[in-house]
């Protein structure tokens, strides 16, 4: 499970000069008996992505990008995936995992016979052992500063995910036949089902050889011998594990086609070729039989950072699938292409906009926080900011549940968020804020990204409404390069920023709302919430997790933490020569439906 991320900060915005060309695959011969478009098996589809492919290890710090993650999903398989309703879907054609015991929590993973890498080597428990080692932080004995930089000790694997779950396991045990791996947690962990990630992407036998070891079992023996890291008892780095980790960290990074052993697949597609910063070609893995077999022969990935040029390429027929950043003008431009066979895939993503109040400073008093929140014109923000991006946008009424999740309606009805329904469009809200202020005129600094047009619009509406109630509003907006530092330093009273939910699981909730947590930027602290988040991290039962999250949702809003605004829309579009492209809220976007994509005559 990955940690939460601030919207629009980590995405690269570098402009790329890209030469767009027509689909490289040979389309099937026309069928004179059919006058309407017909989906076929075979053919090629061209996809535009905003940034070039850079790594075959999308789980590493250097490799964790949207493009790399999408290619990883197309070329690798695993025990489960998360669907568009944010529900976990098992892939028992790949293998099975089972809870062997509740106390201690014991999980056994078994890979099916016949699942193999594209070089013919089987996927084994040695691959799982390496994945556990890389994603657990188990061997690290490093001390980190507040910016997560190593100040002393050793950090071996630089994985981009959250270590909190797998770090709580004993060293795994591999079965005698090499097909199963058993994990024992030292204490219960709520997100055990997604802790090992959605794909098995790094071949242990390749890492072993590159680190000077004989084979994958030899690598597992190293991982079985190095002691667990302890920051209080730092030791000299193990030289063999250092070599293994160093290769895992950056050895799979490449902008051009590397040695084929670094591009191995165990999924529906193989990487056939890469032209640096220009294109990547995927071809169907003919041996793949442990999941849904794709319809396309090839898929060509090209790069274009400019969303408007993506739309122009779709119109010109030099691209078949695009995922441009959404705004009203682009939605309108794509709507105009519908007569030419263009289809839009729109819906809510995992990201949402929010207003967050600092518990230190001008709004430290609970009644002042409540007064400010009553001025937030949420419905006006929906009408003027969100609906031009998504005609179905509605006020979001939960910090912890997405609208597609079953507990959302129950939690939003009981957490108190609907008391703050409209703000400036509701005279009662302004009147209530004035009554709570009792003539006071607090000065509040509102922080936001001034380079984001939607955030600017939100600020203007909120500032106008707050001023009407009696607040003195200071524009503390910063440019895109500066505002995150201001957020982390706490130099604000009100902050407008986005957040991205994890696709599944509960560990992100403690990360945000627990006292002193890594993503607790507004000095929120509540002892009951701390106790509930501790319980949540240990609770394996989904129904009980939801009950705990509903309590947290209510307590957070009652404390005046802030208000959710709206779920961010995501957008993709497909042309007349492809069918089966579907919306997904996940990071891989339309690629989630890649097995259903088909070339259309």
């Amino acid at each position: 499970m990955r940690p939460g991320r601030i919207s629009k900060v980590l995405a690269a915005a570098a402009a790329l000069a890209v030469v767009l060309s027509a689909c490289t695959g040979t389309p099937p011969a026309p069928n004179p008996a059919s006058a309407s478009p017909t989906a076929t098996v075979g053919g090629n589809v061209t996809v535009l992505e905003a940034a070039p492919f850079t790594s075959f290890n999308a789980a590493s710090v250097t490799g964790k990008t949207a493009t790399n993650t999408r290619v990883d999903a197309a070329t690798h398989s695993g025990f489960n995936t998360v669907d568009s309703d944010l529900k976990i879907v098992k892939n028992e054609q790949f293998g099975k995992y089972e809870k062997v015991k509740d106390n201690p929590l014991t999980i056994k993973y078994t890979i099916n016979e016949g699942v193999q890498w594209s070089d013919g080597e089987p996927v084994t428990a040695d691959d799982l052992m390496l994945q556990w080692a890389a994603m657990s932080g188990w061997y690290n004995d490093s001390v980190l500063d507040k910016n997560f930089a190593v100040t002393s000790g050793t950090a071996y694997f630089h994985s981009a995910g959250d270590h909190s779950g797998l770090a709580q396991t004993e060293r795994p045990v591999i079965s005698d036949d090499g097909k199963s791996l058993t994990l024992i947690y030292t204490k219960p962990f709520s997100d055990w089902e997604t802790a090992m990630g959605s794909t098995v992407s790094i071949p242990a036998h390749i890492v072993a050889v590159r680190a000077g070891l004989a084979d994958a079992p030899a690598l597992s023996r190293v991982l079985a011998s190095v002691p667990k890291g302890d920051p209080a008892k730092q030791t000299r780095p193990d030289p063999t594990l250092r070599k293994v980790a160093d290769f895992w960290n950056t050895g799979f990074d490449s902008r051009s086609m590397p040695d084929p052993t670094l591009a191995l697949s165990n999924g529906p597609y193989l990487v056939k070729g890469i032209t640096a910063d220009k294109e990547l070609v995927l071809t169907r893995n003919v041996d793949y039989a442990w999941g849904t077999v794709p319809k396309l022969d090839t898929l060509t990935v090209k790069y274009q950072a400019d969303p408007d040029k993506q739309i122009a390429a779709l119109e010109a027929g030099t691209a078949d699938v695009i995922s441009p950043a959404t705004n009203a003008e682009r939605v309108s431009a794509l709507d105009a292409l519908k007569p030419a066979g263009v289809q839009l895939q729109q819906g809510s993503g995992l990201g949402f906009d929010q207003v967050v109040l600092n518990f230190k400073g001008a709004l430290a008093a609970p009644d002042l926080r409540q007064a400010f929140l009553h001025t937030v014109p949420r419905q006006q923000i929906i009408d003027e900011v969100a609906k031009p991006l998504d005609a179905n946008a509605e006020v979001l009424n939960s910090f912890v549940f997405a609208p597609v999740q079953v507990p959302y309606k129950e939690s939003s009805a009981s957490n108190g968020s609907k008391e703050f329904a409209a703000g400036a469009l509701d005279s009662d809200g302004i009147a209530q804020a004035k009554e709570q202020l009792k003539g006071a005129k607090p000065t509040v600094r509102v922080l936001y990204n001034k380079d984001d047009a939607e955030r600017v619009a939100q600020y203007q509406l909120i500032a106008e409404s707050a001023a009407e109630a009696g607040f003195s509003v200071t524009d503390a907006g910063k440019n895109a390069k500066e505002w995150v530092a201001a957020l982390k330093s706490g130099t604000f009273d009100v902050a407008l920023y986005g957040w991205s939910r994890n696709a599944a699981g509960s560990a992100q909730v403690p990360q945000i709302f627990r006292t002193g947590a890594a993503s607790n930027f507004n000095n929120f602290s509540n002892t009951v919430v701390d106790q509930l988040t501790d319980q949540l991290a240990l609770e394996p039962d989904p129904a009980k997790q939801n009950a705990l999250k509903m309590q947290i949702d209510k307590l957070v809003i009652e404390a005046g933490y802030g208000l959710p605004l709206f779920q961010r829309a995501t957008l993709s579009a497909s042309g007349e020569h492809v069918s089966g492209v579907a919306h997904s809220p996940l990071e891989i976007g339309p690629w989630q439906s890649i097995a259903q994509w088909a070339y259309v005559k």
Side-chain angles (χ1 to χ4, degrees):
M1 179 183 65
R2 294 185 306 135
R5 296 162 301 145
I6 300 169
S7 299
K8 297 194 171 184
V9 175
L10 301 182
L16 302 176
V18 179
V19 179
L20 301 177
S21 59
C23 300
T24 57
T26 303
N31 180 359
S34 175
S36 60
T38 304
T40 64
V41 174
N44 175 82
V45 161
T46 296
V47 184
L48 287 188
E49 292 296 326
F53 177 84
T54 61
S55 180
F56 290 90
N57 185 357
S60 70
V61 168
T62 58
K64 185 64 180 177
T65 71
T67 301
N68 296 343
T69 299
R70 291 177 175 194
V71 172
D72 176 73
T75 55
H76 296 96
S77 298
F79 291 96
N80 59 33
T81 58
V82 178
D83 68 13
S84 293
D85 292 324
L86 308 186
K87 295 178 180 178
I88 296 170
V89 179
K90 294 182 179 180
N91 178 13
E92 295 192 347
Q93 291 179 271
F94 178 89
K96 296 181 180 180
Y97 58 93
E98 57 182 325
K99 186 193 295 185
V100 177
K101 192 184 298 183
D102 280 312
N103 189 18
L105 178 61
T106 305
I107 313 299
K108 183 179 181 180
Y109 299 85
T110 302
I111 300 167
N112 290 343
E113 197 71 39
V115 177
Q116 65 183 35
W117 296 100
S118 49
D119 63 354
E121 289 294 315
V123 178
T124 70
D126 295 313
D127 300 307
L128 301 182
M129 185 74 165
L130 176 59
Q131 186 147 318
W132 166 84
M135 297 176 68
S136 67
W138 203 81
Y139 300 98
N140 296 345
D141 62 9
S142 53
V143 174
L144 308 181
D145 64 17
K146 64 180 182 179
N147 295 316
F148 305 102
V150 175
T151 59
S152 64
T154 303
Y156 288 99
F157 295 95
H158 301 162
S159 63
D162 176 41
H163 298 161
S164 60
L166 292 179
Q168 298 169 181
T169 61
E170 296 179 4
R171 196 192 309 264
V173 175
I174 294 177
S175 62
D176 291 341
D177 64 2
K179 285 293 182 182
S180 297
L181 177 140
T182 300
L183 275 180
I184 298 176
Y185 286 80
T186 56
K187 57 182 179 179
F189 179 58
S190 62
D191 291 353
W192 64 267
E193 201 166 1
T194 55
M196 285 287 281
S198 59
T199 61
V200 179
S201 302
I202 302 300
H205 65 288
I206 299 301
V207 175
V209 171
R210 294 302 182 111
L213 299 168
D215 52 22
L219 172 53
S220 289
R221 288 192 290 273
V222 170
L223 297 176
S225 65
V226 177
K228 183 175 184 178
D230 183 351
K233 300 177 182 178
Q234 294 175 352
T235 60
R236 293 185 63 185
D238 182 277
T240 304
L241 183 58
R242 178 75 278 170
K243 288 180 182 179
V244 169
D246 284 348
F247 192 80
W248 188 95
N249 292 337
T250 60
F252 292 90
D253 294 354
S254 181
R255 288 181 175 271
S256 57
M257 192 64 192
D259 178 325
T261 62
L262 302 183
L264 296 185
S265 164
N266 60 27
Y269 285 97
L270 311 169
V271 176
K272 181 180 181 181
I274 304 175
T275 302
D277 298 331
K278 184 179 179 181
E279 72 173 28
L280 176 147
V281 178
L282 297 171
T283 187
R284 184 165 52 192
N285 181 358
V286 295
D287 295 321
Y288 180 70
W290 43 93
T292 304
V293 176
K295 297 179 173 65
L296 296 171
D297 282 336
T298 60
L299 191 148
T300 302
V301 184
K302 294 179 179 290
Y303 315 119
Q304 177 53 261
D306 187 327
D308 297 319
K309 290 183 179 179
Q310 288 189 21
I311 296 172
L314 188 68
E315 181 179 16
T318 54
D320 299 305
V321 181
I322 62 174
S323 302
T326 183
N327 65 24
E329 291 76 16
R330 290 172 195 141
V331 171
S332 178
L334 288 167
D335 277 333
L337 298 179
K338 286 181 177 179
V342 167
Q343 297 184 34
L344 277 65
Q345 298 86 39
Q346 291 177 274
S348 296
L350 295 177
F352 64 95
D353 284 30
Q354 60 182 350
V355 178
V356 173
L357 308 188
N358 199 334
F359 279 60
K360 293 182 179 179
L363 297 177
D367 58 340
L368 293 182
R369 291 197 299 275
Q370 293 291 329
F372 188 88
L373 293 178
H374 276 293
T375 74
V376 178
R378 293 205 293 164
Q379 187 59 55
Q380 191 175 3
I381 290 171
I382 301 304
D383 293 340
E384 298 187 22
V385 180
K387 284 196 172 181
L389 308 178
D390 177 9
N392 297 315
E394 296 180 347
V395 171
L396 182 66
N397 283 311
S398 174
F399 276 115
V400 301
F401 296 110
V404 297
Q405 295 174 302
V406 173
Y408 173 79
K409 289 184 179 179
E410 185 179 355
S411 189
S412 63
S414 61
N415 62 16
S417 61
K418 292 185 178 180
E419 295 180 18
F420 306 96
L425 294 184
D426 178 1
S427 59
D428 289 341
I430 297 295
Q432 191 164 348
K434 288 180 177 179
E435 182 178 341
Q436 289 172 308
L437 286 177
K438 298 176 181 177
K441 295 185 178 296
T443 298
V444 293
R445 300 162 297 166
V446 181
L447 173 67
Y448 62 98
N449 179 2
K450 298 184 82 165
D451 292 332
D452 183 328
E454 283 81 33
R455 298 276 191 270
V456 172
Q458 291 170 26
Y459 165 75
Q460 292 170 343
L461 293 171
I462 290 172
E464 180 181 355
S465 180
E468 184 179 343
F471 286 93
S472 178
V473 179
T474 299
D475 185 344
K478 305 288 184 183
N479 64 36
K481 294 181 179 180
E482 298 175 345
W483 80 269
V484 175
L487 180 69
K488 290 182 176 180
S489 67
T491 53
F492 66 90
D493 299 302
V494 179
L496 311 177
Y497 61 97
W499 197 259
S500 184
R501 306 178 194 276
N502 284 341
S506 301
Q508 189 182 52
V509 176
Q511 178 195 345
I512 300 169
F513 298 118
R514 204 182 191 291
T515 301
S519 299
N520 184 339
F521 301 123
N522 62 325
N523 302 295
F524 173 72
S525 180
N526 183 294
T527 55
V528 178
V529 170
D530 288 347
Q531 292 169 5
L532 293 172
T533 57
D534 286 344
Q535 293 177 48
L536 181 62
L538 303 177
E539 178 53 65
D541 182 83
K544 293 180 180 178
Q545 289 177 33
N546 286 337
L548 291 168
K549 286 194 280 190
M550 284 180 63
Q551 293 181 63
I552 293 169
D553 206 20
K554 181 178 177 65
L555 288 168
V556 164
I557 290 175
E558 286 180 346
Y561 176 94
L563 286 172
L565 296 175
F566 61 90
Q567 201 84 5
R568 279 270 174 166
T570 61
L571 173 67
S572 63
S574 52
E576 62 178 335
H577 292 297
V578 59
S579 66
V581 182
H583 167 265
S584 170
L586 305 183
E587 185 178 10
I588 60 174
W591 286 62
Q592 187 181 32
S593 57
I594 195 172
Q596 283 71 51
W597 293 7
Y599 179 83
V600 177
K601 294 180 182 179

